[in-house]
Amino acid sequence: MKVVSTVAELRQLIPGSGTVGFVPTMGALHEGHQSLINRARSENDFAVVSIFVNPAQFAPGEDFDRYPRTLESDLERCREVDAVFVPGVPEMYPVFPPAAKVTFPELADKLEGEVRPGHFDGVGLVVSKLFNIVGPCRAYFGKKDRQQLAIIRRLVLDLNFPVDVIGCETVRESDGLALSSRNVYLSDDERARAVKLSRALFSINESRSSDVAELRASALQILDGETVDYLVIADPDNLDPVTELTRPAVALGAMRLGNTRLIDNLDIDPK
Ligand code: AMP
């Protein structure tokens, strides 16, 4: 494992032949990230992980400054990869804020975008930059961030990045809570309540009803008393709400526990 912090050093390391697998992260790595890293390693000749807390995807007042930074243990999780790219902000953005913009008006304004305006523009820009820097054949993203995955797929399609985007299953705690770097913010009481989000989503798959309004209403009952930003059953490609479950769909939810926002989603089988 080579750890580098400049674009020039990274480009020197990346071989000219064979497949390159890439996992972009913001660090604070957990078993969810590990599953992406393991796939990148096993499916490619050369595996690269980036660790960069991207200021362009945080709005003022969000948790950029307090986002967990755990480089030492992150590098432990990357021991088997070929290169770890850990750039500072000036390396990624010689001029900040950048003048270039990547926007996704349709896909990025709904769901997370309603609460975090501009977030996916920042994601789209940094992922474009990282694809240009790393030049991967395959890039591994978690289904945990489903709207992000949908946006990255469109980014690759629309801008002709020669990258195969691989969506990886969400890794969960034994009670169902999706692993997230932000779970460390939760108090014991919040952690106990957090599980309601995945329970609500699983209840949609477990129900025999095909009535979307009814499914949503009973899932929301599980979240009764909690602050729910959204809970929708949507088309997996464009994330627009669906009215019937005749095709595979995805249920997406977001809740707030104190100052922490949690998101989760689940594939829903047709009924
Ligand atoms: P982040 O460091 O939060 O930007 O996440 C980096 C990558 O790890 C993204 O593609 C996430 O979707 C993915 N990821 C985060 N949590 C999980 C999880 N619980 N299971 C699988 N992938 C995840």
Side-chain angles (χ1 to χ4, degrees):
M1 172 188 75
K2 291 247 167 39
V3 183
V4 294
S5 59
T6 66
V7 174
E9 287 169 299
L10 182 66
R11 286 196 170 133
Q12 286 255 311
L13 290 178
I14 292 175
S17 62
T19 57
V20 175
F22 177 45
V23 183
T25 81
M26 297 205 299
L29 302 184
H30 50 61
E31 281 299 313
H33 300 106
Q34 190 75 60
S35 69
L36 276 54
I37 293 169
N38 293 349
R39 277 193 71 175
R41 269 191 57 225
S42 67
E43 296 174 8
N44 299 279
D45 300 316
F46 193 90
V48 182
V49 174
S50 66
I51 298 175
F52 179 60
V53 184
N54 173 34
Q57 69 191 68
F58 289 79
E62 286 191 338
D63 57 346
F64 175 72
D65 288 327
R66 67 183 187 112
Y67 195 83
R69 288 161 169 89
T70 58
L71 185 59
E72 213 175 299
S73 57
D74 291 350
L75 293 179
E76 276 296 303
R77 289 201 178 270
C78 295
R79 262 200 315 219
E80 307 288 317
V81 307
D82 299 286
V84 186
F85 181 46
V86 192
V89 173
E91 183 67 13
M92 285 301 284
Y93 298 106
V95 180
F96 191 87
K101 264 198 152 202
V102 184
T103 61
F104 310 85
E106 280 293 304
L107 263 175
D109 288 351
K110 59 189 94 172
L111 303 172
E112 283 303 285
E114 279 193 25
V115 187
R116 307 187 68 188
H119 168 67
F120 290 116
D121 294 2
V123 171
L125 184 67
V126 82
V127 170
S128 302
K129 287 165 74 72
L130 289 166
F131 282 178
N132 284 330
I133 292 166
V134 176
C137 312
R138 301 191 185 94
Y140 296 81
F141 290 87
K143 283 193 186 177
K144 155 81 170 45
D145 298 283
R146 195 57 179 257
Q147 191 172 6
Q148 171 173 283
L149 176 61
I151 283 170
I152 301 298
R153 288 196 191 287
R154 277 308 297 265
L155 175 76
V156 163
L157 186 75
D158 291 351
L159 298 189
N160 295 88
F161 281 106
V163 181
D164 194 3
V165 175
I166 318 264
C168 303
E169 291 307 321
T170 300
V171 178
R172 298 176 180 279
E173 302 276 8
S174 54
D175 65 357
L177 176 69
L179 296 192
S180 163
S181 304
R182 290 190 166 97
N183 291 352
V184 297
Y185 298 152
L186 300 172
S187 67
D188 290 348
D189 169 62
E190 289 165 348
R191 170 64 185 84
R193 286 152 55 207
V195 71
K196 292 186 202 173
L197 182 56
S198 57
R199 278 202 194 130
L201 298 173
F202 279 109
S203 76
I204 295 173
N205 241 353
E206 283 153 14
S207 168
R208 298 167 91 172
S209 168
S210 61
D211 181 335
V212 167
E214 188 186 307
L215 287 166
R216 226 185 130 250
S218 50
L220 279 169
Q221 265 185 2
I222 296 173
L223 287 158
D224 194 29
E226 302 296 349
T227 308
V228 178
D229 280 340
Y230 58 80
L231 191 137
V232 299
I233 301 176
D235 178 288
D237 295 325
N238 60 26
L239 302 182
D240 282 339
V242 295
T243 48
E244 45 184 39
L245 282 176
T246 47
R247 287 188 296 142
V250 57
L252 304 103
M255 76 187 287
R256 286 172 200 256
L257 289 158
N259 292 327
T260 308
R261 273 187 88 246
L262 297 183
I263 59 171
D264 197 358
N265 68 86
L266 197 67
D267 287 311
I268 305 297
D269 305 321
K271 310 262 178 185

